Amino acid sequence: KRRLGRERQALARRVLGAAGAILAPTHANALHLWLTLPEPWTDEAFAAEARRRGVLLTAGTGFAVGRPPSEAVRIALGSPKSLAEVQRGLDIVAGLLRGSGEPDQSIV
């Protein structure tokens, strides 16, 4: 599990780092990471857009106790069955960070 975590953390930091991601410090073997979102994304909107594209993330507000966290999502790296599956998901997240799929700005 340590090797799995280390490989997936390294991949995530490489892929998301290239997209300008702000990642919270975490253990090198951790099977999850926290991604701070750029404006104008909210954690709920980002998680919803990722879900529409086939990537399941957890909005940071789901982990909040007391005061709300900054806009961030938790990415579980241990759930996908293969490194290739992790890569596909991270590529989608990186695309969202680069602006391929801005938050929905419609007013209802």
XYZ file of all heavy atoms in Angstrom:
806
model
N 0.820 -1.191 0.000
C 0.000 0.000 0.000
C 0.870 1.263 0.000
O 0.492 2.260 -0.590
C -0.929 -0.008 1.198
C -2.039 -1.025 1.054
C -3.085 -0.807 2.100
C -4.173 -1.827 1.852
N -5.410 -1.489 2.454
N 2.020 1.192 0.657
C 2.913 2.358 0.653
C 3.428 2.650 -0.752
O 3.470 3.803 -1.185
C 4.083 2.133 1.595
C 3.692 2.190 3.040
C 4.890 1.969 3.939
N 4.459 1.935 5.316
C 4.973 1.167 6.237
N 5.987 0.365 5.942
N 4.522 1.190 7.457
N 3.824 1.587 -1.458
C 4.319 1.765 -2.821
C 3.207 2.303 -3.721
O 3.426 3.232 -4.509
C 4.848 0.435 -3.375
C 5.414 0.558 -4.796
C 5.858 -0.783 -5.372
N 4.855 -1.817 -5.335
C 3.818 -1.908 -6.186
N 3.656 -0.999 -7.122
N 2.965 -2.889 -6.092
N 2.014 1.765 -3.572
C 0.864 2.215 -4.356
C 0.615 3.704 -4.101
O 0.459 4.488 -5.040
C -0.369 1.399 -3.975
C -1.670 1.773 -4.667
C -1.686 1.206 -6.079
C -2.852 1.238 -3.876
N 0.600 4.085 -2.839
C 0.390 5.489 -2.496
C 1.480 6.384 -3.053
O 1.194 7.453 -3.603
N 2.710 5.959 -2.929
C 3.853 6.753 -3.415
C 3.756 6.954 -4.923
O 3.946 8.067 -5.426
C 5.154 6.054 -3.026
C 6.397 6.862 -3.264
C 7.660 6.216 -2.682
N 7.755 4.772 -2.881
C 7.569 3.853 -1.918
N 7.283 4.218 -0.691
N 7.669 2.574 -2.182
N 3.456 5.887 -5.674
C 3.336 5.990 -7.137
C 2.209 6.942 -7.532
O 2.372 7.780 -8.419
C 3.057 4.615 -7.752
C 4.205 3.672 -7.726
C 3.824 2.272 -8.196
O 2.618 1.981 -8.376
O 4.745 1.465 -8.364
N 1.083 6.814 -6.860
C -0.078 7.618 -7.222
C 0.086 9.074 -6.789
O -0.341 9.978 -7.507
C -1.352 6.982 -6.666
C -1.630 5.665 -7.396
C -2.817 4.926 -6.862
N -2.979 3.667 -7.599
C -4.132 3.063 -7.798
N -5.242 3.565 -7.302
N -4.176 1.937 -8.480
N 0.708 9.293 -5.649
C 0.995 10.673 -5.220
C 1.932 11.353 -6.219
O 1.716 12.503 -6.599
C 1.643 10.683 -3.831
C 0.686 10.640 -2.690
C -0.059 11.936 -2.459
O 0.413 13.027 -2.757
N -1.262 11.799 -1.920
N 2.966 10.643 -6.624
C 3.930 11.211 -7.571
C 3.247 11.557 -8.893
O 3.473 12.638 -9.461
C 5.089 10.243 -7.801
N 2.405 10.646 -9.372
C 1.677 10.899 -10.615
C 0.756 12.111 -10.459
O 0.741 12.999 -11.313
C 0.862 9.658 -11.005
C -0.031 9.803 -12.235
C 0.792 10.089 -13.483
C -0.878 8.551 -12.418
N 0.008 12.168 -9.375
C -0.922 13.275 -9.146
C -0.189 14.600 -9.078
O -0.612 15.597 -9.676
C -1.714 13.036 -7.866
N 0.907 14.638 -8.371
C 1.663 15.886 -8.237
C 2.254 16.317 -9.580
O 2.307 17.508 -9.887
C 2.709 15.760 -7.155
C 2.009 15.661 -5.802
C 2.908 15.687 -4.608
N 2.097 15.616 -3.408
C 1.443 16.639 -2.867
N 1.512 17.824 -3.414
N 0.718 16.475 -1.774
N 2.657 15.345 -10.382
C 3.205 15.669 -11.706
C 2.101 16.213 -12.622
O 2.240 17.274 -13.232
C 3.857 14.426 -12.300
C 4.663 14.656 -13.539
C 5.516 13.452 -13.942
N 4.803 12.183 -13.978
C 4.937 11.183 -13.079
N 5.755 11.315 -12.068
N 4.260 10.061 -13.194
N 0.979 15.492 -12.717
C -0.102 15.881 -13.630
C -0.770 17.180 -13.182
O -0.956 18.105 -13.975
C -1.149 14.745 -13.745
C -2.381 15.202 -14.514
C -0.537 13.522 -14.409
N -1.143 17.249 -11.908
C -1.843 18.431 -11.421
C -0.904 19.620 -11.275
O -1.309 20.759 -11.511
C -2.547 18.124 -10.103
C -3.636 17.045 -10.198
C -4.210 16.751 -8.830
C -4.715 17.430 -11.192
N 0.335 19.367 -10.929
C 1.322 20.442 -10.835
C 1.534 21.128 -12.173
O 1.669 22.349 -12.250
N 1.526 20.339 -13.246
C 1.688 20.901 -14.586
C 0.504 21.781 -14.965
O 0.617 22.646 -15.831
C 1.854 19.778 -15.606
N -0.643 21.566 -14.295
C -1.832 22.379 -14.561
C -1.922 23.569 -13.606
O -2.918 24.280 -13.590
C -3.081 21.511 -14.425
N -0.881 23.769 -12.800
C -0.853 24.896 -11.882
C -1.631 24.676 -10.597
O -2.000 25.620 -9.918
N -1.868 23.425 -10.250
C -2.661 23.107 -9.061
C -1.955 23.513 -7.778
O -0.729 23.468 -7.683
C -2.948 21.605 -9.020
N -2.766 23.891 -6.792
C -2.271 24.146 -5.444
C -2.695 22.952 -4.606
O -3.888 22.754 -4.349
C -2.851 25.448 -4.869
C -2.434 26.633 -5.747
C -2.407 25.641 -3.424
C -3.132 27.926 -5.397
N -1.719 22.144 -4.226
C -1.991 20.932 -3.457
C -1.522 21.120 -2.026
O -0.440 21.646 -1.782
C -1.276 19.729 -4.084
C -1.650 19.424 -5.542
C -0.748 18.342 -6.110
C -3.103 19.026 -5.647
N -2.350 20.668 -1.101
C -1.976 20.742 0.309
C -0.858 19.748 0.579
O -0.799 18.679 -0.042
C -3.184 20.420 1.175
N 0.041 20.081 1.501
C 1.087 19.118 1.867
C 0.445 17.844 2.413
O -0.549 17.903 3.141
C 1.868 19.842 2.971
C 1.522 21.279 2.828
C 0.147 21.327 2.244
N 0.974 16.718 2.022
C 0.480 15.430 2.498
C 1.624 14.435 2.507
O 2.659 14.675 1.903
C -0.698 14.937 1.636
O -1.309 13.821 2.253
C -0.255 14.551 0.246
N 1.421 13.334 3.172
C 2.446 12.291 3.228
C 2.676 11.722 1.829
O 1.721 11.557 1.053
C 2.004 11.187 4.188
C 3.099 10.239 4.528
N 3.480 9.216 3.696
C 3.906 10.176 5.608
C 4.474 8.547 4.253
N 4.754 9.119 5.412
N 3.898 11.414 1.502
C 4.250 10.917 0.170
C 3.583 9.595 -0.175
O 3.472 9.249 -1.344
C 5.768 10.772 0.049
N 3.117 8.846 0.822
C 2.464 7.553 0.574
C 0.944 7.625 0.723
O 0.274 6.604 0.632
C 2.978 6.498 1.551
C 4.461 6.258 1.415
O 5.082 6.603 0.418
N 5.058 5.678 2.433
N 0.404 8.801 0.969
C -1.037 8.938 1.217
C -1.841 8.538 -0.015
O -1.424 8.764 -1.150
C -1.363 10.365 1.617
N -3.001 7.963 0.240
C -3.880 7.550 -0.849
C -4.970 8.579 -1.130
O -5.996 8.269 -1.732
C -4.492 6.181 -0.538
C -3.485 5.032 -0.603
C -4.100 3.730 -0.120
C -2.949 4.872 -2.021
N -4.754 9.808 -0.704
C -5.638 10.911 -1.061
C -4.830 12.205 -1.039
O -3.711 12.234 -0.537
C -6.830 11.011 -0.089
C -6.454 11.579 1.234
N -5.907 10.819 2.242
C -6.517 12.849 1.705
C -5.659 11.592 3.287
N -6.017 12.821 2.982
N -5.409 13.249 -1.627
C -4.798 14.568 -1.569
C -5.887 15.618 -1.611
O -7.026 15.343 -1.985
C -3.780 14.779 -2.689
C -4.210 14.609 -4.137
C -4.861 15.879 -4.655
C -3.012 14.284 -4.984
N -5.519 16.822 -1.189
C -6.430 17.964 -1.200
C -5.984 18.951 -2.267
O -4.819 19.329 -2.320
C -6.440 18.658 0.156
C -7.251 17.909 1.162
C -6.779 16.983 2.049
C -8.644 18.006 1.367
N -7.819 16.497 2.800
C -8.979 17.118 2.402
C -9.659 18.761 0.789
C -10.270 16.953 2.864
C -10.952 18.606 1.258
C -11.252 17.714 2.284
N -6.930 19.352 -3.093
C -6.689 20.301 -4.169
C -7.438 21.591 -3.861
O -8.667 21.582 -3.757
C -7.177 19.708 -5.496
C -7.261 20.625 -6.697
C -5.885 21.132 -7.097
C -7.919 19.891 -7.863
N -6.704 22.697 -3.687
C -7.318 24.009 -3.496
C -7.702 24.534 -4.867
O -6.901 24.506 -5.799
C -6.334 24.976 -2.805
O -5.963 24.404 -1.545
C -6.963 26.330 -2.594
N -8.927 25.000 -4.982
C -9.462 25.397 -6.283
C -9.236 26.869 -6.590
O -9.349 27.718 -5.702
C -10.960 25.104 -6.323
C -11.311 23.634 -6.116
C -12.812 23.466 -5.950
C -10.788 22.794 -7.266
N -8.944 27.163 -7.857
C -8.814 28.573 -8.260
C -10.200 29.196 -8.407
O -11.193 28.499 -8.608
C -8.107 28.472 -9.616
C -8.542 27.149 -10.162
C -8.683 26.244 -8.963
N -10.260 30.517 -8.300
C -11.519 31.220 -8.551
C -11.864 31.075 -10.023
O -10.955 30.979 -10.852
C -11.376 32.695 -8.176
C -11.278 32.894 -6.690
C -11.276 34.361 -6.317
O -11.285 35.234 -7.221
O -11.271 34.639 -5.123
N -13.073 31.004 -10.420
C -14.272 31.186 -9.613
C -14.888 29.867 -9.123
O -16.028 29.859 -8.681
C -15.221 31.889 -10.583
C -14.893 31.257 -11.905
C -13.389 31.026 -11.855
N -14.151 28.775 -9.175
C -14.703 27.483 -8.782
C -15.101 27.448 -7.308
O -14.392 27.977 -6.456
C -13.675 26.372 -8.996
C -13.471 25.954 -10.413
C -12.359 26.193 -11.177
C -14.363 25.209 -11.235
N -12.519 25.647 -12.424
C -13.741 25.034 -12.489
C -15.626 24.680 -11.045
C -14.338 24.347 -13.539
C -16.226 23.988 -12.098
C -15.582 23.836 -13.325
N -16.206 26.769 -7.048
C -16.552 26.377 -5.680
C -16.328 24.873 -5.616
O -16.301 24.195 -6.655
C -18.023 26.678 -5.335
O -18.865 25.880 -6.168
C -18.329 28.167 -5.497
N -16.180 24.346 -4.409
C -15.936 22.908 -4.295
C -17.097 22.092 -4.851
O -16.891 21.101 -5.537
C -15.598 22.509 -2.855
C -16.681 22.836 -1.849
O -17.627 23.590 -2.172
O -16.584 22.328 -0.714
N -18.324 22.531 -4.592
C -19.499 21.800 -5.077
C -19.581 21.829 -6.605
O -19.865 20.812 -7.245
C -20.779 22.369 -4.461
C -20.877 22.193 -2.958
C -21.145 20.755 -2.531
O -21.574 19.935 -3.360
O -20.891 20.456 -1.348
N -19.337 22.994 -7.209
C -19.402 23.109 -8.669
C -18.306 22.283 -9.334
O -18.541 21.618 -10.347
C -19.296 24.576 -9.090
N -17.106 22.317 -8.769
C -15.995 21.557 -9.343
C -16.276 20.057 -9.259
O -16.091 19.324 -10.228
C -14.684 21.896 -8.619
C -13.458 21.419 -9.339
C -12.846 22.216 -10.295
C -12.903 20.183 -9.058
C -11.705 21.789 -10.972
C -11.760 19.740 -9.721
C -11.165 20.553 -10.684
N -16.746 19.604 -8.090
C -17.057 18.184 -7.915
C -18.169 17.755 -8.867
O -18.112 16.668 -9.450
C -17.440 17.902 -6.467
N -19.166 18.615 -9.063
C -20.268 18.288 -9.976
C -19.786 18.193 -11.423
O -20.164 17.271 -12.155
C -21.377 19.330 -9.848
N -18.937 19.139 -11.833
C -18.423 19.104 -13.211
C -17.522 17.893 -13.424
O -17.570 17.236 -14.459
C -17.685 20.395 -13.550
C -17.195 20.466 -14.979
C -18.297 20.321 -16.023
O -19.431 20.758 -15.787
O -18.003 19.764 -17.109
N -16.690 17.593 -12.441
C -15.841 16.405 -12.546
C -16.712 15.153 -12.655
O -16.435 14.261 -13.463
C -14.914 16.312 -11.334
N -17.768 15.091 -11.860
C -18.682 13.941 -11.887
C -19.313 13.799 -13.270
O -19.426 12.699 -13.794
C -19.771 14.106 -10.818
C -20.635 12.885 -10.621
C -21.668 13.041 -9.497
N -21.130 13.642 -8.290
C -21.397 14.878 -7.858
N -22.230 15.662 -8.523
N -20.851 15.350 -6.748
N -19.718 14.923 -13.878
C -20.296 14.886 -15.230
C -19.302 14.297 -16.233
O -19.690 13.738 -17.244
C -20.700 16.282 -15.682
C -22.042 16.728 -15.158
C -22.527 18.001 -15.844
N -21.915 19.216 -15.342
C -22.275 19.848 -14.236
N -23.240 19.374 -13.493
N -21.670 20.958 -13.864
N -18.026 14.458 -15.929
C -16.990 13.948 -16.834
C -16.469 12.576 -16.409
O -15.494 12.082 -16.951
C -15.840 14.950 -16.891
C -16.275 16.247 -17.538
C -15.232 17.314 -17.364
N -15.717 18.578 -17.865
C -15.105 19.289 -18.805
N -13.976 18.871 -19.323
N -15.622 20.425 -19.198
N -17.107 11.982 -15.394
C -16.763 10.621 -15.000
C -15.759 10.491 -13.870
O -15.249 9.400 -13.619
N -15.460 11.602 -13.180
C -14.492 11.572 -12.081
C -15.217 11.920 -10.787
O -15.849 12.974 -10.693
C -13.345 12.582 -12.317
C -12.381 12.585 -11.142
C -12.611 12.253 -13.607
N -15.118 11.043 -9.799
C -15.765 11.287 -8.516
C -14.770 11.894 -7.544
O -13.743 11.300 -7.242
C -16.327 9.980 -7.949
C -17.390 9.302 -8.792
C -17.814 7.989 -8.144
C -18.581 10.215 -9.009
N -15.089 13.102 -7.096
C -14.300 13.828 -6.100
C -15.228 14.159 -4.950
O -16.442 14.139 -5.102
C -13.789 15.162 -6.670
C -13.019 15.135 -7.962
C -12.783 16.557 -8.435
C -11.702 14.437 -7.751
N -14.661 14.533 -3.819
C -15.484 14.939 -2.687
C -15.241 16.409 -2.396
O -14.090 16.830 -2.217
C -15.139 14.101 -1.435
O -15.267 12.722 -1.772
C -16.077 14.427 -0.302
N -16.332 17.174 -2.364
C -16.230 18.591 -2.022
C -15.749 18.731 -0.585
O -16.140 17.955 0.290
C -17.591 19.265 -2.205
N -14.907 19.706 -0.347
C -14.338 19.928 0.977
C -15.375 20.191 2.053
O -15.169 19.855 3.220
N -16.500 20.778 1.662
C -17.536 21.070 2.655
C -18.055 19.800 3.314
O -18.534 19.857 4.439
C -18.715 21.840 2.027
O -19.156 21.139 0.868
C -18.319 23.255 1.654
N -17.923 18.665 2.657
C -18.341 17.399 3.247
C -17.489 16.980 4.431
O -17.889 16.124 5.220
N -16.335 17.584 4.589
C -15.422 17.258 5.678
C -15.386 18.358 6.746
O -14.683 18.234 7.734
C -13.998 17.050 5.140
C -13.878 15.839 4.270
C -14.074 15.920 2.901
C -13.579 14.601 4.817
C -13.974 14.800 2.095
C -13.480 13.475 4.026
C -13.677 13.578 2.664
N -16.125 19.441 6.510
C -16.057 20.601 7.397
C -16.751 20.335 8.730
O -17.850 19.805 8.774
C -16.692 21.811 6.727
N -16.082 20.716 9.786
C -16.661 20.718 11.125
C -16.445 22.127 11.655
O -15.315 22.583 11.777
C -15.969 19.685 12.049
C -16.551 19.764 13.447
C -16.070 18.290 11.471
N -17.518 22.817 11.917
C -17.365 24.207 12.334
C -17.320 25.125 11.142
O -18.159 25.051 10.258
N -16.281 25.921 11.047
C -16.208 26.911 9.967
C -15.924 26.229 8.631
O -15.160 25.253 8.561
C -15.192 27.984 10.312
C -13.833 27.805 9.786
C -12.915 28.932 10.263
N -11.572 28.431 10.221
C -10.765 28.610 9.176
N -11.151 29.329 8.161
N -9.563 28.089 9.176
N -16.528 26.732 7.560
C -16.330 26.138 6.235
C -14.875 26.241 5.776
O -14.202 27.225 6.077
C -17.229 26.967 5.320
C -18.135 27.726 6.221
C -17.431 27.852 7.540
N -14.381 25.239 5.052
C -13.006 25.273 4.543
C -12.901 26.189 3.326
O -13.905 26.655 2.811
C -12.765 23.817 4.128
C -14.125 23.338 3.712
C -15.096 24.037 4.646
N -11.685 26.423 2.893
C -11.515 27.130 1.627
C -12.048 26.214 0.527
O -12.306 25.044 0.749
C -10.033 27.446 1.399
O -9.301 26.242 1.332
N -12.214 26.763 -0.651
C -12.745 25.971 -1.761
C -11.706 24.918 -2.144
O -10.652 25.241 -2.689
C -13.083 26.868 -2.952
C -14.141 27.908 -2.652
C -15.490 27.327 -2.242
O -15.835 26.192 -2.618
O -16.221 28.028 -1.524
N -12.003 23.675 -1.821
C -11.073 22.576 -2.082
C -11.841 21.282 -2.278
O -12.988 21.153 -1.843
C -10.098 22.423 -0.915
N -11.223 20.348 -2.956
C -11.795 19.015 -3.122
C -10.776 17.982 -2.666
O -9.564 18.217 -2.708
C -12.211 18.722 -4.588
C -13.382 19.591 -5.006
C -11.052 18.882 -5.549
N -11.301 16.856 -2.218
C -10.456 15.737 -1.796
C -10.458 14.717 -2.922
O -11.514 14.320 -3.403
C -10.999 15.111 -0.525
C -10.131 14.006 0.030
C -10.780 13.476 1.310
N -9.951 12.527 2.005
C -9.976 11.214 1.798
N -10.794 10.686 0.889
N -9.196 10.417 2.499
N -9.279 14.319 -3.341
C -9.128 13.342 -4.417
C -8.608 12.047 -3.805
O -7.529 12.029 -3.207
C -8.151 13.851 -5.498
C -8.673 15.158 -6.106
C -7.925 12.782 -6.561
C -7.720 15.810 -7.081
N -9.393 10.988 -3.947
C -8.989 9.675 -3.446
C -8.188 8.971 -4.533
O -8.684 8.735 -5.627
C -10.213 8.848 -3.069
N -6.951 8.663 -4.227
C -6.066 8.019 -5.197
C -6.071 6.505 -5.074
O -5.574 5.810 -5.960
C -4.630 8.537 -5.011
C -4.443 10.037 -5.202
C -3.038 10.439 -4.773
C -4.714 10.424 -6.640
N -6.622 5.972 -3.999
C -6.596 4.533 -3.770
C -7.761 3.795 -4.393
O -7.702 2.582 -4.572
N -8.830 4.497 -4.730
C -10.031 3.840 -5.258
C -9.868 3.259 -6.669
O -10.323 2.142 -6.914
C -11.207 4.815 -5.242
O -11.471 5.236 -3.934
N -9.274 3.986 -7.598
C -9.128 3.427 -8.953
C -8.320 2.129 -8.934
O -7.382 1.965 -8.147
C -8.384 4.521 -9.720
C -8.693 5.775 -8.968
C -8.758 5.356 -7.530
N -8.696 1.224 -9.817
C -8.065 -0.097 -9.847
C -6.664 -0.105 -10.447
O -5.864 -0.960 -10.139
C -8.967 -1.069 -10.586
C -10.280 -1.302 -9.853
C -11.116 -2.328 -10.559
C -12.458 -2.602 -9.972
N -12.879 -1.998 -8.776
N -6.373 0.846 -11.330
C -5.067 0.839 -11.992
C -4.484 2.246 -12.059
O -5.207 3.239 -11.932
C -5.208 0.290 -13.418
O -5.923 1.219 -14.224
N -3.189 2.303 -12.293
C -2.510 3.581 -12.454
C -3.028 4.304 -13.701
O -3.151 5.529 -13.702
C -0.993 3.362 -12.534
C -0.111 4.564 -12.255
C -0.396 5.158 -10.883
C 1.362 4.189 -12.366
N -3.371 3.551 -14.735
C -3.921 4.148 -15.957
C -5.258 4.832 -15.667
O -5.546 5.912 -16.194
C -4.091 3.087 -17.035
N -6.061 4.235 -14.798
C -7.340 4.822 -14.422
C -7.117 6.111 -13.611
O -7.818 7.099 -13.803
C -8.132 3.808 -13.595
C -9.595 4.107 -13.472
C -10.343 2.993 -12.752
O -9.985 1.810 -12.888
O -11.304 3.332 -12.041
N -6.123 6.094 -12.746
C -5.759 7.296 -11.989
C -5.328 8.391 -12.968
O -5.759 9.539 -12.850
C -4.634 7.009 -10.962
C -4.173 8.291 -10.289
C -5.082 5.997 -9.936
N -4.502 8.040 -13.922
C -4.018 8.998 -14.928
C -5.183 9.629 -15.677
O -5.225 10.852 -15.848
C -3.087 8.289 -15.913
C -2.620 9.150 -17.079
C -1.452 10.023 -16.736
O -0.478 9.534 -16.205
N -1.537 11.306 -17.035
N -6.141 8.822 -16.125
C -7.293 9.362 -16.863
C -8.063 10.377 -16.004
O -8.419 11.451 -16.474
C -8.226 8.239 -17.315
C -7.750 7.512 -18.557
C -8.815 6.599 -19.137
N -9.283 5.589 -18.186
C -8.692 4.420 -17.959
N -7.602 4.099 -18.624
N -9.193 3.564 -17.090
N -8.311 10.021 -14.763
C -9.038 10.928 -13.876
C -8.275 12.211 -13.623
O -8.849 13.311 -13.641
N -6.987 12.094 -13.375
C -6.160 13.279 -13.128
C -6.082 14.174 -14.356
O -6.064 15.402 -14.238
C -4.758 12.865 -12.672
C -4.680 12.214 -11.298
C -3.283 11.647 -11.066
C -5.065 13.190 -10.198
N -6.042 13.572 -15.534
C -6.026 14.370 -16.767
C -7.305 15.186 -16.901
O -7.268 16.346 -17.332
C -5.843 13.468 -17.991
C -4.430 12.927 -18.141
O -3.496 13.491 -17.522
O -4.263 11.925 -18.866
N -8.436 14.609 -16.516
C -9.706 15.335 -16.556
C -9.686 16.485 -15.556
O -10.073 17.612 -15.876
C -10.882 14.371 -16.304
C -11.029 13.426 -17.510
C -12.180 15.136 -16.035
C -11.947 12.247 -17.292
N -9.227 16.217 -14.350
C -9.137 17.261 -13.320
C -8.191 18.369 -13.782
O -8.492 19.558 -13.647
C -8.691 16.668 -11.968
C -8.374 17.762 -10.959
C -9.764 15.724 -11.427
N -7.060 18.000 -14.352
C -6.106 18.988 -14.851
C -6.741 19.840 -15.947
O -6.530 21.059 -15.998
C -4.836 18.305 -15.364
N -7.526 19.222 -16.816
C -8.226 19.976 -17.861
C -9.193 20.992 -17.277
O -9.282 22.128 -17.759
N -9.889 20.606 -16.229
C -10.795 21.545 -15.563
C -10.016 22.715 -14.969
O -10.443 23.869 -15.053
C -11.589 20.843 -14.470
C -12.662 19.868 -14.943
C -13.242 19.101 -13.774
C -13.746 20.614 -15.696
N -8.872 22.421 -14.370
C -8.047 23.483 -13.785
C -7.522 24.441 -14.854
O -7.355 25.629 -14.601
C -6.874 22.882 -13.009
C -7.233 22.153 -11.727
C -6.005 21.454 -11.171
C -7.831 23.109 -10.707
N -7.246 23.906 -16.031
C -6.724 24.738 -17.129
C -7.815 25.553 -17.801
O -7.535 26.353 -18.683
C -6.046 23.861 -18.168
C -4.719 23.324 -17.731
C -4.027 22.603 -18.896
N -2.882 21.907 -18.428
C -2.800 20.573 -18.273
N -3.832 19.807 -18.586
N -1.706 20.026 -17.813
N -9.071 25.283 -17.445
C -10.162 26.062 -18.012
C -10.985 25.336 -19.039
O -11.826 25.944 -19.682
N -10.781 24.026 -19.236
C -11.622 23.276 -20.158
C -12.869 22.847 -19.404
O -12.974 21.737 -18.979
C -10.938 22.034 -20.694
O -9.557 22.139 -20.707
N -13.769 23.754 -19.220
C -14.991 23.451 -18.493
C -15.122 24.366 -17.307
O -14.981 23.967 -16.172
N -15.332 25.641 -17.588
C -15.502 26.621 -16.518
C -16.780 26.324 -15.743
O -17.673 25.672 -16.247
C -15.562 28.024 -17.112
C -14.240 28.479 -17.659
C -13.145 28.592 -16.614
O -13.417 29.094 -15.509
O -12.029 28.163 -16.898
N -16.884 26.832 -14.530
C -18.111 26.633 -13.770
C -19.310 27.180 -14.507
O -19.202 28.140 -15.248
C -17.873 27.430 -12.482
C -16.479 27.880 -12.506
C -15.913 27.654 -13.859
N -20.433 26.552 -14.294
C -21.672 26.977 -14.916
C -22.044 28.370 -14.406
O -22.216 28.558 -13.206
C -22.779 25.969 -14.603
C -24.061 26.267 -15.337
O -24.096 27.242 -16.115
O -25.024 25.523 -15.131
N -22.149 29.301 -15.279
C -22.450 30.684 -14.884
C -23.913 31.049 -15.140
O -24.274 32.205 -15.065
C -21.532 31.645 -15.664
C -20.067 31.451 -15.394
C -19.705 31.768 -13.962
O -20.225 32.689 -13.363
N -18.799 30.987 -13.392
N -24.739 30.064 -15.482
C -26.129 30.380 -15.780
C -26.863 30.854 -14.534
O -26.573 30.443 -13.424
C -26.837 29.166 -16.375
O -26.847 28.110 -15.442
N -27.806 31.737 -14.742
C -28.613 32.256 -13.643
C -30.016 31.748 -13.825
O -30.606 31.856 -14.887
C -28.588 33.802 -13.643
C -27.155 34.297 -13.452
C -29.525 34.351 -12.581
C -27.004 35.777 -13.578
N -30.562 31.170 -12.763
C -31.907 30.596 -12.840
C -32.831 31.378 -11.955
O -32.501 31.814 -10.908
C -31.896 29.127 -12.374
C -33.184 28.469 -12.763
C -30.743 28.391 -12.944
